[in-house]
Structures are given as structure tokens and as C-alpha cells.
Amino acid sequence: MSGTLRIRGGRVVDPAQGIDAVRDVGIHDGRIAELHPQEQAAEDIDATGCVVMAGGIDMHTHIGGGKMNLARLLLPEDHRLNREPQPLPTNPLELASSGCCAPGTLATGYRYAEMGYTAAFEPAMLAINARHTHMEMGDIPILDHGAYVMLGSDELFLQLLAEGRDFETIRDYVGWTMHAAKALGVKVVNPGGISAFKFNQRRLDVDEQHAHWRVTPRTIVHTLARALHELGVPHPLHIHASNLGVPGNIESTLATIEALEGLPAHLTHIQFHAYGTEGPKKFSSAARRLCEVVNANPNVSLDVGQIMFGQTVTASGDTMRQHANAGVGHPRKWVGADIECEAGCGVVPFKYRDTSFVNALQWLIGLEIFLLIDDPWRVVLTTDHPNGAPFTSYPHLIRLLMDKSFRDEQMSRLNADAVAMSSLGSITRELSLNEIAVMTRAGPAKLLGLKDRGHLGTGAAADIAVYREDADREAMFTAPEHVFKDGVRVARAGRITATPTGGTHYVEPVFDRGIEKLVATYADRHLSVAPRNLVIGHDELCRCCNGGRLLPAACFETRVN
């Protein structure tokens, strides 16, 4: 990281600093630095005609953990061309790794860095499987990373709720779980539904009771959101709401927002939760209705989970919904799995088709949401990789959002009945470079509490992407001229130039250590992992992550006693 560099004469687009102007960017020892105009730099990079942004941050992408290994095993064809192994890389810096829908860990790092991304976050880490998740993320080159631990369907949490334990005990259990798993946030998947599925329950709406524990998703969501807020965790509760993919699930989504009672929360892959039942096929867009509510509730942020047409694989902890979707998989195979009865996962390959009414309307709904949310700081660009599409489709998605004529041309190819059910054609908004920088950089950094990422202010990490200005925004965002990670050039014009080890982001909330006795009693009775082995220490975390730096994010002071 040592040395001084200057990126000269580029258009700096840095919404976190309120900057959109031609200016120089200095780098010293891996950090953004103010350089005197006469100061000599080890390298002076001419960025004339380029756009300079902070490195991209993908805050919701499935890149580690057991479900992605299952996806790779389930789709060997994704790692082969014409039944033969894909060719070895020609770049000597790249080790062999392949796959598009479910790429290997090495390919994941290479492909993200080539697009200008420098950080990615796994949204569904199981506490008892956290070591494996960290090890797999640690195998990804270049990218900083972190994960959100899953709560809301584990049996101890549900037992505490069912028994009516005091809120402080539950709050401390949430804090301990984050501490043990070294998580950056908490994810709730189909609140209570993963557990309910194991009791032969096949649906669980927001105000329905769990078949065994008799608690509702409304209670689960509110309790977790309150716990995180009182613990001061920067990233609010990351919510995969009830009834994913079900026509009419807009009612569940709005009920989930209501359940928060003003507490902060982040609704994830919201495209899959914005469906109505209007029209002859009883499937319609509820994007406008959703966006009106989100625009009116500043406590709520979201990412979209945009679908793109083509083959992918859906991998989710939502066993209940993946079991229901298994019959429409393409190719016709799927995997369901569970670990220690603490959570679950379902892996179903899927091919989105532009001739399909449902798939076309899903594509339209996602774009409607992007363009109807007023505040770009509260909507994040994602495809819920790989569920909506592989992350490598981001440049195409950016062009759709920035170029209405291109969007209209693509829309003209879709199922006509779906287009007739959508208002996308009447939406004239085109996102600006500033708004794209918010949705892919500044916004995610703010939502995750990463104060030295997502911007180019003095002292920030020198994670930088330099894009050659191009009217074809897809071409522009596919292969930036230069990508720097902590001041080291890692890609040049779409070719990897260095493969440093990324760091690990996590939080360490303060909680009453007395909760450890309760956890130990439960683990001794129900789990195969000894209680003393449940907590990942700092040294072990560093080893899991290939010696990468530990990057703790600070909690804020809001705890109520």
C-alpha cells in the first residue's frame, strides 16, 4: 500500500462529499490524501475523459456458505462449455476458477474487481456455520467482505419469544450471536417460516402463528429490529419478508413495514415482494403502491433484486418457498438442506424468459421500483446474485436505468401482455451518474456503517474505479480503465493486475455476558458444537480470512437500559 499516486483530471463523482467536478484524487499509503499540486507522485495517472468513483459495494450477494457450494455442485454445466471444462485463464495472476451463475470464489473476486467493485457482503450466514462462510469469503481475492447472520427461525430465539422472556434477554442473545459469528448485520428470512416448514407448515403470513411456537412474523420482525436498534448496530434489520414470489404478497410487505412501528429496517430483494393479483392472470405489479409507502417511511431502505433474462440458480435460506418453487426449476433438479435444525436452504436452478408473462412482469416491476423511489440513498442496486441474475449483469442493468430509449427498446421484445400490465413505458426518469454512484457506492456504505468506504474524502480507503466516459453505459461500467483496492491497482481495462487479500467487516455490539450461560445450556442439549467452540475469536477470524485485515465497524450509542 505504500507510495503516492495522483489520478489527474478526471470527473470525480462522489455524492457522499457532494462532489461532481473535474479534480485530482491523491493516494498515499492506501488512503485518499490531499496532495499539493507540485508534489511529486510515484505515478501520475491521466484520467482526462474519465469518471472517477469510489469502489463499488455490493451489499447483498450470495458469495459464501453452504448453499453456494450446493449450487456449484448442482450445476456442473455452469462450469463447462460444450461438456468440456472451461479454458484456463490466460492471465498468470488468475488461478483456475469458473462458473457464471454460481462462480467459484476466485472467479467471484476477479469478475467483481474487473467491474470496479471492491467489497461484497454475504446476506445469509448461519451462526453455526459461520466459520465455513468466513473461510469461503476469505478465499475470494481482492474484495473486502462481511456477512449478516440469520436469526428469526432458530429454535432458541423462537423459544425465548414463545416463553415470553424479557426483551433484554432476547436483545442480549442477538448481540451474542453477532459477536459469536463475527457478523456485520442480522438477516431474517421468511420470519419464522424456515422453522415452521419443519413442523409441516407450508405458509406463514405476517399475522399467522407458527404451528409449534405460536409466535407471529410480526412479533419476530419487530423484536429483531428493536434489538438491533438498541444494540446500536449500524445496519438495520435485513428483512427477507414473508411470501416471497407469491401473487398478492404486497399485503405481506406492507404489513411488515407496519410491524416496524418506525424502527429502521432494510427490505431486501424487494422485487420478489411487490406483486398484486390484478388482471386476467391474477398477477400484477404493485410497484407504485410499494414505492408510495417506502417514500413516506424514511425508516425503510431496500435493495431491488432485479431479474435479468437467462439461466441462473436460485439459492435461498427460505426452504418453505424454495420447496414450492422446485417444480418450475430449469433444469429440473433441486436441493433442500438443513444444518442442526437451526436454519435451512433450498437451491433451485431457474431460467428467466422474456417470452414468459410472469418473468417479463418481474423484470418490469424491478425497474419500476428503481425509478419510482424518490431517494436514491434508500435503494441499492442488486440482482440478489444469483437469484435474480449473476452480478456480472450489473453494467447492463445500469444502462437500463440510465437510458430510456435503450430501456424502451428492450421492453419492446417482452411478452406483450406483461408490458400492458406495467407503467414502466410511461416513466421518463433516467438515473444520473451521481444517482448510480449513490446506489452502488455511497448508499451501501452508509447503510452498513462503513465510514471510510463509498467516498473519496481525505482519509478514506483508496478503493477507486476510473471509468472511461462512454454514452453506452453498459460498455463504460463493464471494464473500467483502472481499479484500485487500498491504493493497489488490481485491474486495468478489464484485466486483473494484482490479487491482494481483502479485509473482513463486522461489528462487536455490547451485550450482557450473562446470556452465555443460557446459550451454553441450550447448546449442550440440542447442538453438536460445544458451547466453547461457538464463538469465533479475532485471531481465528483472521486465519479464516487468509490473513486479511479485521475491519470492525463502530456501533452507535442508542442503547436503552
mmCIF file of all heavy atoms in Angstrom, residues 197-229:
data_model
loop_
_atom_site.group_PDB
_atom_site.id
_atom_site.type_symbol
_atom_site.label_atom_id
_atom_site.label_comp_id
_atom_site.label_asym_id
_atom_site.label_seq_id
_atom_site.Cartn_x
_atom_site.Cartn_y
_atom_site.Cartn_z
ATOM 1 N N PHE A 197 -41.742 -24.572 8.509
ATOM 2 C CA PHE A 197 -41.735 -25.585 7.451
ATOM 3 C C PHE A 197 -41.417 -26.963 8.020
ATOM 4 O O PHE A 197 -41.935 -27.981 7.561
ATOM 5 C CB PHE A 197 -40.710 -25.189 6.390
ATOM 6 C CG PHE A 197 -40.590 -26.145 5.239
ATOM 7 C CD1 PHE A 197 -41.537 -26.170 4.231
ATOM 8 C CD2 PHE A 197 -39.526 -27.034 5.166
ATOM 9 C CE1 PHE A 197 -41.433 -27.047 3.163
ATOM 10 C CE2 PHE A 197 -39.401 -27.917 4.104
ATOM 11 C CZ PHE A 197 -40.358 -27.923 3.099
ATOM 12 N N LYS A 198 -40.567 -26.996 9.039
ATOM 13 C CA LYS A 198 -40.174 -28.275 9.636
ATOM 14 C C LYS A 198 -41.284 -28.859 10.502
ATOM 15 O O LYS A 198 -41.228 -30.030 10.888
ATOM 16 C CB LYS A 198 -38.892 -28.082 10.448
ATOM 17 C CG LYS A 198 -37.718 -27.630 9.586
ATOM 18 C CD LYS A 198 -36.564 -27.117 10.421
ATOM 19 C CE LYS A 198 -35.565 -26.395 9.540
ATOM 20 N NZ LYS A 198 -34.507 -25.740 10.294
ATOM 21 N N PHE A 199 -42.278 -28.035 10.805
ATOM 22 C CA PHE A 199 -43.458 -28.519 11.514
ATOM 23 C C PHE A 199 -44.616 -28.719 10.533
ATOM 24 O O PHE A 199 -45.783 -28.677 10.909
ATOM 25 C CB PHE A 199 -43.842 -27.547 12.627
ATOM 26 C CG PHE A 199 -42.871 -27.532 13.771
ATOM 27 C CD1 PHE A 199 -41.801 -26.657 13.783
ATOM 28 C CD2 PHE A 199 -43.016 -28.411 14.837
ATOM 29 C CE1 PHE A 199 -40.895 -26.637 14.836
ATOM 30 C CE2 PHE A 199 -42.120 -28.395 15.898
ATOM 31 C CZ PHE A 199 -41.050 -27.515 15.894
ATOM 32 N N ASN A 200 -44.266 -28.903 9.252
ATOM 33 C CA ASN A 200 -45.211 -29.201 8.172
ATOM 34 C C ASN A 200 -46.146 -28.044 7.844
ATOM 35 O O ASN A 200 -47.227 -28.242 7.284
ATOM 36 C CB ASN A 200 -46.041 -30.456 8.489
ATOM 37 C CG ASN A 200 -46.495 -31.174 7.234
ATOM 38 O OD1 ASN A 200 -45.810 -31.131 6.209
ATOM 39 N ND2 ASN A 200 -47.650 -31.815 7.296
ATOM 40 N N GLN A 201 -45.713 -26.823 8.153
ATOM 41 C CA GLN A 201 -46.473 -25.640 7.795
ATOM 42 C C GLN A 201 -45.980 -25.160 6.442
ATOM 43 O O GLN A 201 -44.778 -25.049 6.217
ATOM 44 C CB GLN A 201 -46.277 -24.557 8.861
ATOM 45 C CG GLN A 201 -47.336 -23.479 8.866
ATOM 46 C CD GLN A 201 -47.297 -22.660 10.160
ATOM 47 O OE1 GLN A 201 -46.597 -23.011 11.109
ATOM 48 N NE2 GLN A 201 -48.047 -21.567 10.200
ATOM 49 N N ARG A 202 -46.876 -24.877 5.511
ATOM 50 C CA ARG A 202 -46.473 -24.546 4.149
ATOM 51 C C ARG A 202 -46.656 -23.080 3.785
ATOM 52 O O ARG A 202 -46.335 -22.665 2.681
ATOM 53 C CB ARG A 202 -47.230 -25.445 3.141
ATOM 54 C CG ARG A 202 -46.812 -26.917 3.227
ATOM 55 C CD ARG A 202 -45.334 -27.066 2.876
ATOM 56 N NE ARG A 202 -44.852 -28.447 2.985
ATOM 57 C CZ ARG A 202 -44.158 -28.913 4.005
ATOM 58 N NH1 ARG A 202 -43.891 -28.130 5.037
ATOM 59 N NH2 ARG A 202 -43.733 -30.161 4.024
ATOM 60 N N ARG A 203 -47.166 -22.282 4.700
ATOM 61 C CA ARG A 203 -47.199 -20.835 4.525
ATOM 62 C C ARG A 203 -47.256 -20.191 5.901
ATOM 63 O O ARG A 203 -47.702 -20.810 6.871
ATOM 64 C CB ARG A 203 -48.369 -20.372 3.661
ATOM 65 C CG ARG A 203 -49.754 -20.674 4.208
ATOM 66 C CD ARG A 203 -50.835 -19.876 3.474
ATOM 67 N NE ARG A 203 -50.884 -18.497 3.928
ATOM 68 C CZ ARG A 203 -51.030 -17.444 3.119
ATOM 69 N NH1 ARG A 203 -51.114 -17.616 1.813
ATOM 70 N NH2 ARG A 203 -51.100 -16.224 3.607
ATOM 71 N N LEU A 204 -46.768 -18.983 5.980
ATOM 72 C CA LEU A 204 -46.775 -18.259 7.247
ATOM 73 C C LEU A 204 -46.813 -16.775 6.927
ATOM 74 O O LEU A 204 -45.801 -16.173 6.574
ATOM 75 C CB LEU A 204 -45.524 -18.599 8.071
ATOM 76 C CG LEU A 204 -45.464 -17.995 9.481
ATOM 77 C CD1 LEU A 204 -46.604 -18.520 10.347
ATOM 78 C CD2 LEU A 204 -44.121 -18.286 10.136
ATOM 79 N N ASP A 205 -48.001 -16.197 7.023
ATOM 80 C CA ASP A 205 -48.148 -14.777 6.736
ATOM 81 C C ASP A 205 -47.827 -13.965 7.989
ATOM 82 O O ASP A 205 -47.628 -14.513 9.081
ATOM 83 C CB ASP A 205 -49.553 -14.479 6.226
ATOM 84 C CG ASP A 205 -49.584 -13.323 5.238
ATOM 85 O OD1 ASP A 205 -48.610 -12.543 5.217
ATOM 86 O OD2 ASP A 205 -50.565 -13.194 4.486
ATOM 87 N N VAL A 206 -47.813 -12.662 7.840
ATOM 88 C CA VAL A 206 -47.276 -11.781 8.876
ATOM 89 C C VAL A 206 -47.998 -11.943 10.206
ATOM 90 O O VAL A 206 -47.372 -11.866 11.269
ATOM 91 C CB VAL A 206 -47.326 -10.315 8.400
ATOM 92 C CG1 VAL A 206 -46.861 -9.365 9.486
ATOM 93 C CG2 VAL A 206 -46.482 -10.146 7.141
ATOM 94 N N ASP A 207 -49.299 -12.185 10.177
ATOM 95 C CA ASP A 207 -50.058 -12.303 11.428
ATOM 96 C C ASP A 207 -50.563 -13.716 11.682
ATOM 97 O O ASP A 207 -51.442 -13.921 12.531
ATOM 98 C CB ASP A 207 -51.211 -11.305 11.432
ATOM 99 C CG ASP A 207 -50.716 -9.871 11.539
ATOM 100 O OD1 ASP A 207 -49.989 -9.573 12.505
ATOM 101 O OD2 ASP A 207 -51.018 -9.054 10.641
ATOM 102 N N GLU A 208 -50.000 -14.698 10.994
ATOM 103 C CA GLU A 208 -50.285 -16.099 11.292
ATOM 104 C C GLU A 208 -49.326 -16.605 12.356
ATOM 105 O O GLU A 208 -48.170 -16.189 12.423
ATOM 106 C CB GLU A 208 -50.139 -16.965 10.036
ATOM 107 C CG GLU A 208 -51.245 -16.790 9.020
ATOM 108 C CD GLU A 208 -51.078 -17.744 7.856
ATOM 109 O OE1 GLU A 208 -50.233 -17.469 6.988
ATOM 110 O OE2 GLU A 208 -51.784 -18.773 7.822
ATOM 111 N N GLN A 209 -49.793 -17.549 13.152
ATOM 112 C CA GLN A 209 -48.950 -18.108 14.206
ATOM 113 C C GLN A 209 -48.130 -19.297 13.686
ATOM 114 O O GLN A 209 -48.612 -20.104 12.886
ATOM 115 C CB GLN A 209 -49.788 -18.559 15.393
ATOM 116 C CG GLN A 209 -50.398 -17.428 16.197
ATOM 117 C CD GLN A 209 -51.049 -17.920 17.476
ATOM 118 O OE1 GLN A 209 -51.401 -19.092 17.616
ATOM 119 N NE2 GLN A 209 -51.222 -17.013 18.432
ATOM 120 N N HIS A 210 -46.899 -19.381 14.166
ATOM 121 C CA HIS A 210 -46.054 -20.535 13.937
ATOM 122 C C HIS A 210 -46.769 -21.764 14.517
ATOM 123 O O HIS A 210 -47.293 -21.729 15.634
ATOM 124 C CB HIS A 210 -44.706 -20.297 14.639
ATOM 125 C CG HIS A 210 -43.670 -21.329 14.413
ATOM 126 N ND1 HIS A 210 -43.775 -22.616 14.907
ATOM 127 C CD2 HIS A 210 -42.471 -21.273 13.775
ATOM 128 C CE1 HIS A 210 -42.690 -23.305 14.583
ATOM 129 N NE2 HIS A 210 -41.892 -22.508 13.889
ATOM 130 N N ALA A 211 -46.800 -22.869 13.773
ATOM 131 C CA ALA A 211 -47.567 -24.048 14.169
ATOM 132 C C ALA A 211 -47.158 -24.592 15.531
ATOM 133 O O ALA A 211 -47.989 -25.129 16.273
ATOM 134 C CB ALA A 211 -47.418 -25.140 13.108
ATOM 135 N N HIS A 212 -45.887 -24.458 15.872
ATOM 136 C CA HIS A 212 -45.404 -25.007 17.149
ATOM 137 C C HIS A 212 -45.207 -23.920 18.199
ATOM 138 O O HIS A 212 -45.716 -24.030 19.317
ATOM 139 C CB HIS A 212 -44.082 -25.750 16.931
ATOM 140 C CG HIS A 212 -43.471 -26.262 18.203
ATOM 141 N ND1 HIS A 212 -43.968 -27.348 18.881
ATOM 142 C CD2 HIS A 212 -42.395 -25.812 18.935
ATOM 143 C CE1 HIS A 212 -43.240 -27.567 19.958
ATOM 144 N NE2 HIS A 212 -42.276 -26.648 20.021
ATOM 145 N N TRP A 213 -44.486 -22.852 17.860
ATOM 146 C CA TRP A 213 -44.116 -21.858 18.849
ATOM 147 C C TRP A 213 -45.201 -20.815 19.080
ATOM 148 O O TRP A 213 -45.141 -20.055 20.060
ATOM 149 C CB TRP A 213 -42.814 -21.164 18.437
ATOM 150 C CG TRP A 213 -41.625 -22.080 18.459
ATOM 151 C CD1 TRP A 213 -40.907 -22.520 17.378
ATOM 152 C CD2 TRP A 213 -41.025 -22.680 19.606
ATOM 153 N NE1 TRP A 213 -39.896 -23.355 17.778
ATOM 154 C CE2 TRP A 213 -39.938 -23.471 19.154
ATOM 155 C CE3 TRP A 213 -41.287 -22.634 20.984
ATOM 156 C CZ2 TRP A 213 -39.123 -24.198 20.019
ATOM 157 C CZ3 TRP A 213 -40.472 -23.351 21.849
ATOM 158 C CH2 TRP A 213 -39.408 -24.123 21.361
ATOM 159 N N ARG A 214 -46.174 -20.738 18.177
ATOM 160 C CA ARG A 214 -47.324 -19.841 18.319
ATOM 161 C C ARG A 214 -46.931 -18.372 18.358
ATOM 162 O O ARG A 214 -47.614 -17.538 18.982
ATOM 163 C CB ARG A 214 -48.166 -20.176 19.580
ATOM 164 C CG ARG A 214 -48.433 -21.641 19.841
ATOM 165 C CD ARG A 214 -49.021 -22.367 18.652
ATOM 166 N NE ARG A 214 -50.329 -21.865 18.269
ATOM 167 C CZ ARG A 214 -50.995 -22.275 17.189
ATOM 168 N NH1 ARG A 214 -50.441 -23.181 16.370
ATOM 169 N NH2 ARG A 214 -52.173 -21.784 16.920
ATOM 170 N N VAL A 215 -45.838 -18.014 17.727
ATOM 171 C CA VAL A 215 -45.461 -16.613 17.578
ATOM 172 C C VAL A 215 -45.664 -16.216 16.118
ATOM 173 O O VAL A 215 -45.704 -17.067 15.228
ATOM 174 C CB VAL A 215 -44.001 -16.359 18.004
ATOM 175 C CG1 VAL A 215 -43.812 -16.688 19.471
ATOM 176 C CG2 VAL A 215 -43.034 -17.161 17.151
ATOM 177 N N THR A 216 -45.787 -14.933 15.862
ATOM 178 C CA THR A 216 -46.067 -14.457 14.509
ATOM 179 C C THR A 216 -44.844 -13.765 13.903
ATOM 180 O O THR A 216 -43.995 -13.222 14.626
ATOM 181 C CB THR A 216 -47.227 -13.454 14.509
ATOM 182 O OG1 THR A 216 -46.817 -12.275 15.219
ATOM 183 C CG2 THR A 216 -48.476 -14.053 15.160
ATOM 184 N N PRO A 217 -44.751 -13.744 12.576
ATOM 185 C CA PRO A 217 -43.698 -12.963 11.926
ATOM 186 C C PRO A 217 -43.689 -11.497 12.342
ATOM 187 O O PRO A 217 -42.623 -10.877 12.425
ATOM 188 C CB PRO A 217 -44.015 -13.133 10.439
ATOM 189 C CG PRO A 217 -44.656 -14.478 10.351
ATOM 190 C CD PRO A 217 -45.506 -14.567 11.602
ATOM 191 N N ARG A 218 -44.854 -10.928 12.606
ATOM 192 C CA ARG A 218 -44.909 -9.526 13.040
ATOM 193 C C ARG A 218 -44.082 -9.332 14.316
ATOM 194 O O ARG A 218 -43.290 -8.397 14.432
ATOM 195 C CB ARG A 218 -46.362 -9.104 13.279
ATOM 196 C CG ARG A 218 -46.511 -7.661 13.743
ATOM 197 C CD ARG A 218 -47.973 -7.308 14.000
ATOM 198 N NE ARG A 218 -48.731 -7.301 12.767
ATOM 199 C CZ ARG A 218 -48.865 -6.255 11.959
ATOM 200 N NH1 ARG A 218 -48.283 -5.101 12.269
ATOM 201 N NH2 ARG A 218 -49.602 -6.349 10.864
ATOM 202 N N THR A 219 -44.274 -10.231 15.272
ATOM 203 C CA THR A 219 -43.528 -10.145 16.526
ATOM 204 C C THR A 219 -42.043 -10.362 16.310
ATOM 205 O O THR A 219 -41.198 -9.668 16.893
ATOM 206 C CB THR A 219 -44.066 -11.181 17.525
ATOM 207 O OG1 THR A 219 -45.455 -10.936 17.765
ATOM 208 C CG2 THR A 219 -43.306 -11.118 18.844
ATOM 209 N N ILE A 220 -41.698 -11.319 15.447
ATOM 210 C CA ILE A 220 -40.292 -11.623 15.160
ATOM 211 C C ILE A 220 -39.600 -10.408 14.563
ATOM 212 O O ILE A 220 -38.514 -10.006 15.004
ATOM 213 C CB ILE A 220 -40.196 -12.835 14.212
ATOM 214 C CG1 ILE A 220 -40.669 -14.102 14.921
ATOM 215 C CG2 ILE A 220 -38.779 -13.001 13.681
ATOM 216 C CD1 ILE A 220 -40.864 -15.292 13.991
ATOM 217 N N VAL A 221 -40.214 -9.809 13.547
ATOM 218 C CA VAL A 221 -39.613 -8.665 12.863
ATOM 219 C C VAL A 221 -39.430 -7.490 13.815
ATOM 220 O O VAL A 221 -38.353 -6.877 13.885
ATOM 221 C CB VAL A 221 -40.469 -8.259 11.648
ATOM 222 C CG1 VAL A 221 -40.084 -6.871 11.144
ATOM 223 C CG2 VAL A 221 -40.322 -9.276 10.530
ATOM 224 N N HIS A 222 -40.455 -7.162 14.559
ATOM 225 C CA HIS A 222 -40.373 -6.007 15.447
ATOM 226 C C HIS A 222 -39.327 -6.236 16.535
ATOM 227 O O HIS A 222 -38.545 -5.324 16.861
ATOM 228 C CB HIS A 222 -41.731 -5.717 16.083
ATOM 229 C CG HIS A 222 -41.737 -4.462 16.903
ATOM 230 N ND1 HIS A 222 -41.432 -4.452 18.246
ATOM 231 C CD2 HIS A 222 -41.976 -3.167 16.563
ATOM 232 C CE1 HIS A 222 -41.504 -3.212 18.701
ATOM 233 N NE2 HIS A 222 -41.827 -2.415 17.710
ATOM 234 N N THR A 223 -39.283 -7.437 17.086
ATOM 235 C CA THR A 223 -38.331 -7.728 18.158
ATOM 236 C C THR A 223 -36.896 -7.614 17.670
ATOM 237 O O THR A 223 -36.039 -7.014 18.332
ATOM 238 C CB THR A 223 -38.588 -9.140 18.722
ATOM 239 O OG1 THR A 223 -39.927 -9.226 19.204
ATOM 240 C CG2 THR A 223 -37.614 -9.447 19.858
ATOM 241 N N LEU A 224 -36.599 -8.188 16.513
ATOM 242 C CA LEU A 224 -35.240 -8.121 15.974
ATOM 243 C C LEU A 224 -34.859 -6.693 15.585
ATOM 244 O O LEU A 224 -33.731 -6.256 15.837
ATOM 245 C CB LEU A 224 -35.109 -9.044 14.767
ATOM 246 C CG LEU A 224 -35.088 -10.551 15.062
ATOM 247 C CD1 LEU A 224 -35.116 -11.354 13.767
ATOM 248 C CD2 LEU A 224 -33.856 -10.924 15.888
ATOM 249 N N ALA A 225 -35.783 -5.961 14.963
ATOM 250 C CA ALA A 225 -35.489 -4.582 14.576
ATOM 251 C C ALA A 225 -35.202 -3.727 15.807
ATOM 252 O O ALA A 225 -34.261 -2.908 15.822
ATOM 253 C CB ALA A 225 -36.658 -3.996 13.782
ATOM 254 N N ARG A 226 -35.974 -3.908 16.857
ATOM 255 C CA ARG A 226 -35.758 -3.155 18.092
ATOM 256 C C ARG A 226 -34.429 -3.542 18.741
ATOM 257 O O ARG A 226 -33.678 -2.682 19.207
ATOM 258 C CB ARG A 226 -36.910 -3.403 19.057
ATOM 259 C CG ARG A 226 -36.769 -2.651 20.373
ATOM 260 C CD ARG A 226 -37.871 -3.016 21.359
ATOM 261 N NE ARG A 226 -37.595 -2.471 22.683
ATOM 262 C CZ ARG A 226 -38.244 -2.839 23.787
ATOM 263 N NH1 ARG A 226 -39.233 -3.746 23.713
ATOM 264 N NH2 ARG A 226 -37.922 -2.316 24.960
ATOM 265 N N ALA A 227 -34.124 -4.847 18.742
ATOM 266 C CA ALA A 227 -32.882 -5.312 19.362
ATOM 267 C C ALA A 227 -31.668 -4.692 18.687
ATOM 268 O O ALA A 227 -30.744 -4.198 19.351
ATOM 269 C CB ALA A 227 -32.805 -6.832 19.307
ATOM 270 N N LEU A 228 -31.638 -4.693 17.365
ATOM 271 C CA LEU A 228 -30.503 -4.131 16.637
ATOM 272 C C LEU A 228 -30.390 -2.630 16.869
ATOM 273 O O LEU A 228 -29.283 -2.092 17.001
ATOM 274 C CB LEU A 228 -30.634 -4.432 15.142
ATOM 275 C CG LEU A 228 -30.414 -5.889 14.749
ATOM 276 C CD1 LEU A 228 -30.740 -6.095 13.277
ATOM 277 C CD2 LEU A 228 -28.995 -6.323 15.034
ATOM 278 N N HIS A 229 -31.530 -1.961 16.912
ATOM 279 C CA HIS A 229 -31.515 -0.517 17.143
ATOM 280 C C HIS A 229 -30.948 -0.206 18.528
ATOM 281 O O HIS A 229 -30.112 0.698 18.680
ATOM 282 C CB HIS A 229 -32.916 0.051 16.994
ATOM 283 C CG HIS A 229 -32.971 1.548 17.079
ATOM 284 N ND1 HIS A 229 -32.350 2.381 16.171
ATOM 285 C CD2 HIS A 229 -33.568 2.366 17.991
ATOM 286 C CE1 HIS A 229 -32.567 3.630 16.495
ATOM 287 N NE2 HIS A 229 -33.292 3.656 17.599
#
